[in-house]
Amino acid sequence: MRKFTLQPDSSKPEKSADFISELNEQQRKAASHVQGPLLIVAGAGSGKTRVLTYRIAYLLQKHHAMPHNILALTFTNKAAREMQERISNLIGEKASELWMGTFHSIFSKILRFEADKIGFSSNFSIYDTSDSENAVKLILKELGYDPREIKPRTIQRKISDAKNQLILPDTYKTKFVFSTLDDITAQVYDVYQVRMEQANAMDFDDLLIKPVKLFNENPDVLEKYQDKFRYILIDEYQDTNHAQYKVTKLLADKYQNICVVGDDAQSIYSFRGADISNILNFKSDYENAVEIPLEQNYRSTKLILQCADSIIKRNEKQLQKTLWTDNDNGETVTLLENFDERDEANRIANYIKDLKLRHGYAFNDFAVLYRTNYQSRIFEESFRRKNIDYQLVGGLSFYQRKEIKDVVAYLTLLVNPEDEQALLRIINEPSRGIGNKTLNDILKKARTERRSVWSIINDVESYDFYKPAKSRISSFVDMIDKLRAQLASGTAILEVTKKMLEMSGYMKALVEENSAQALTRRDNVLELQNAIAYYQQSTKKPSLASFLQEITLITDADKYDENIPAVTLMTVHASKGLEFPVVFIVGLEENLFPMGARDGEEANIEEERRLFYVAITRAQKQLFLSHSKMRYKFGEEQRQVRSRFLDEVDPGVVRTETGATIRQNNNHKPGKGNFSEIEYDWKKPQKSEKSSKNNITYEYEYDEDPFRPGIHVLHPAFGPGKIVQRSGSGRDSKVVVFFKNRGQKTLMLRAAKLKVISE
C-alpha cells in the first residue's frame, strides 16, 4: 500500500447571520429549542451533526450564551473536531472556547483540575487497555494464578464491565460472585484499584466513574460545574453506558437544559456497556422533555433506504420514526453469491476496478465492511495482487507498536514517576543489566512495605539487592531525574524527547541492531518525534501530560482519513458515523453476521440486526451485499448458511448475482491453491440424454471431463456431493468433493467413478 501526503484545506466559507434558515423544518425546531430537556431522534443520514452544530451556534449568537457555558460530548475526537470547525465557520473564534470533546477527554480534563479531592495528583497517568491487561497479569501472578490459564484480558473485561455499571470492588465481591472466574475477578479487582491509586493512574473506565465519585462526595464541586455547564449536548446518546448516563444526569439536574441526539436503531455497543434504555427512557427521566424526530435522509438513495427499513422494522424495541428521502431511486441493491471467501474478495476487487473505470469513482469512494477484524486479511491479499490501494482501519495502531509504547513509557515517567507499568516496561529497555530476579525482589519489597516501585528504587542503596544491579538502577533514576528537571525548566517536549532517546541509549540500540525490523522501528520513533513537533506547533499551551493524554485517547474512528485515495477496510462498528458512495457488506453468513452466541448467552439478534442496519445506511449510491457458500474455519473448509438477514431484505430492491464460469486468471496454476481466482457457476447442470423421473444422471467418457467446481456429482460409496475444488491435469487431476453424508473428500478423478447428477 502506497503512502500519501495531504495538503490541508485552509478555506473557511462564511455564513450569513440567518444561518438557521438553511435547515429543514424539523431541524430548525431542534436547533432553536433552547430551554428544557430535548430528545432529537435522528435517523441515519438525517443531518444530526448539522443540527448539533447549528444549535450551538444559535445558543451563542441568539441567546448570548457564553462559550464556556456549553458542554458538547461526542464519541470520537474526529466528530468533535468536525463540529468545532463547522461552528467556527458559522460564528468565528468563539467556537475555540467551547467545552467540546469525547466523554473521556472532557472528564479527564475536569479530573486534572479536581484530582486532589479524590486522592490523585493532577499528573495522573491514563492506562490504555493493554496497560490495564499488563497490570492484571502481574496481579494474577502475585495471587498465584497462571495467566496462561486465567486470561488477563478476560479478567480486565469483567472489571471494565463492572466499572461501567458503577459496581466497585466491595459491591462486586459481595453481590456479583457466582462462579470461580467471578471470585478470581473479585480478588484481582480489589488489588487492581489499590495499585492504580498507588501508581497515580486511571484507566479508561475510571475517567467516567471517578467524576461520579467526585460529584457525589463534593456537592460544592458538582454545583460549580452545574453552573458552568448550563447547556449540555450529547451526541450518539444511544451508545452511552450507565456511568455516562449517571455523570451527565448529575450535571444536568440543576438547569435541565440537556439535549441528547441519537438513534435507537443504531445502538450497537452493548458489548462495551452501552445501554439502549438510556435513550428509550429519556422522556421518563425528564418529565418535560420534548421529542423531535429527524426523518428526512440526505445520504442514501430510495432503494438503499427501503432496504434498510425492511431490516430494522423487524426489531420490537424502538422509537417510532419513518425515514424518507427526496433522492433518486438509484441502483438496485446487488447480492453477490460466492464460492468461498477468496472468490468473494477477488470478485469485489474486480467490481471496484470496474466501477472506478465506468463511473469515475476514486478509490476512497469505496468501503468494504465486515463483522470481525480477521476478515480483512483476504481482502488485503486480493487488493495487493490487483494493485488496489487501501487503508485498514482498526488494525494495529501506531501507538500500540512496541517501540512507540517504549518511548511513551519513558515520557510517562517524566510526568508521573509513580506509574508502575511504565517503569517496569523500560527500566531494562534497552538492556542495562537489571535482571528479572532484581526486579522481582524490588516488587516484593514494594508490596511488603506498601510503597511504590519508584520510591523503592529511589532509595535502592538502603536495600540488600544484587550489588551490580543497584548501581545500574541508581544511574537509571539519575537519568530520569535529570530529564524531569529539564522538562520542569521549560525545555520543549521535543528536545527533552531527543535527549531521552540519547541518554537512555534506545536509539543507539536500534541503529546498532541494523536489522530491517530495527530500521523500521527507528523510523517509527522518528515519526513519533514528528507527531510531538506538530503538537507543539498547533497547541497554544503544549504540555507533555496533555500530549500523552491526547494520544492515549485516540479511537479507531480517529484513525480513518477520508482524504486518502484508498479503499477503506473496516468493521461495521468502526464505520459508525461515516458514509461512502459505494459500500460492500461482506461475510453475510450465520454465526458470522449475525454473530453467534458467546459465553453461553443467547445471541442478541436485535443488536446484530441494528448493526446490519448501520452497515446498510453507510451507502450513498450503491450497495452490495455478499456471502459465501464455503469458508475456511479452524483450518478446514466448511459449508456456510447464508445470513437470515438476507431473507429479511425487501426482495423488490435486490438483484442476485451468482459467480459465473468465466474469467479464469491467466496466472492460475492448478494445484497451487489459487483456485479462488476462478468465479464459479452455482447453477445446476442442464439436462442431458439419460434421465429418470426423479433423478437425472450423466455419464461421460474421461476425455469429455465435465468435472469442475460447482458441479453436483454422485459417488458409488459416498453418495451425492458437490465439487468444490479442482487441481492437477490429465491423469493427475484431483477434485475435492463435499459429500452431504460423508463430509469433504479429495479424490483422484480417473479412479473416482463419479457421475454428474441433477436433483
Side-chain angles (χ1 to χ4, degrees), residues 649-661:
V649 172
D650 182 346
V653 304
V654 179
R655 67 183 179 89
T656 301
E657 288 192 10
T658 59
T661 52

Side-chain angles (χ1 to χ4, degrees), residues 508-528:
K508 181 182 178 184
L510 291 179
V511 172
E512 288 179 347
E513 184 179 328
N514 198 31
S515 66
Q517 293 92 337
L519 292 175
T520 299
R521 292 198 294 270
R522 186 198 64 179
D523 288 344
N524 287 336
V525 172
L526 293 174
E527 183 60 29
L528 177 63

Side-chain angles (χ1 to χ4, degrees), residues 533-728:
Y534 177 79
Y535 168 78
Q536 285 183 170
Q537 292 170 6
S538 60
T539 307
K540 288 182 180 178
K541 294 182 179 179
S543 74
L544 182 53
S546 295
F547 173 74
L548 293 171
Q549 174 177 303
E550 189 175 291
I551 63 175
T552 303
L553 298 180
I554 290 173
T555 66
D556 278 349
D558 296 318
K559 301 166 198 168
Y560 166 67
D561 188 339
E562 62 189 9
N563 296 309
I564 292 179
V567 177
T568 300
L569 299 176
M570 58 169 44
T571 64
V572 181
H573 282 99
S575 75
K576 182 84 177 299
L578 303 177
E579 58 186 32
F580 303 88
V582 185
V583 168
F584 295 87
I585 307 172
V586 303
L588 284 163
E589 298 137 34
E590 287 295 301
N591 295 317
L592 181 56
F593 200 170
M595 185 71 73
R598 289 181 172 181
D599 300 326
E601 297 179 357
E602 287 295 317
N604 188 342
I605 294 301
E606 290 221 342
E607 175 149 334
E608 290 290 312
R609 190 176 284 114
R610 292 195 295 269
L611 190 60
F612 186 38
Y613 172 82
V614 166
I616 292 170
T617 54
R618 300 311 95 198
Q620 295 172 297
K621 296 179 180 179
Q622 288 185 263
L623 173 65
F624 292 81
L625 310 177
S626 177
H627 75 98
S628 298
K629 304 275 188 177
M630 307 290 288
R631 186 174 294 272
Y632 267 95
K633 290 184 175 180
F634 311 111
E636 294 183 357
E637 197 167 34
Q638 299 180 11
R639 180 175 289 278
Q640 296 295 98
V641 177
R642 69 183 238 155
S643 171
R644 71 191 74 182
F645 296 153
L646 293 176
D647 298 322
E648 297 175 358
V649 172
D650 182 346
V653 304
V654 179
R655 67 183 179 89
T656 301
E657 288 192 10
T658 59
T661 52
I662 59 172
R663 292 201 308 271
Q664 178 166 341
N665 190 295
N666 291 332
N667 295 324
H668 173 65
K669 295 180 181 179
K672 299 298 182 182
N674 291 338
F675 66 94
S676 61
E677 292 290 343
I678 310 173
E679 297 184 358
Y680 303 112
D681 185 358
W682 284 86
K683 296 176 182 177
K684 295 176 182 177
Q686 298 300 310
K687 292 185 179 181
S688 180
E689 298 174 1
K690 294 186 178 182
S691 67
S692 64
K693 184 175 181 180
N694 298 318
N695 192 65
I696 301 157
T697 304
Y698 306 80
E699 295 193 33
Y700 296 88
E701 293 297 327
Y702 179 72
D703 56 6
E704 290 180 341
D705 195 1
F707 301 103
R708 61 185 185 276
I711 294 298
H712 295 257
V713 295
L714 182 68
H715 187 275
F718 302 142
K722 187 174 184 179
I723 298 175
V724 296
Q725 184 178 348
R726 170 77 182 263
S727 63

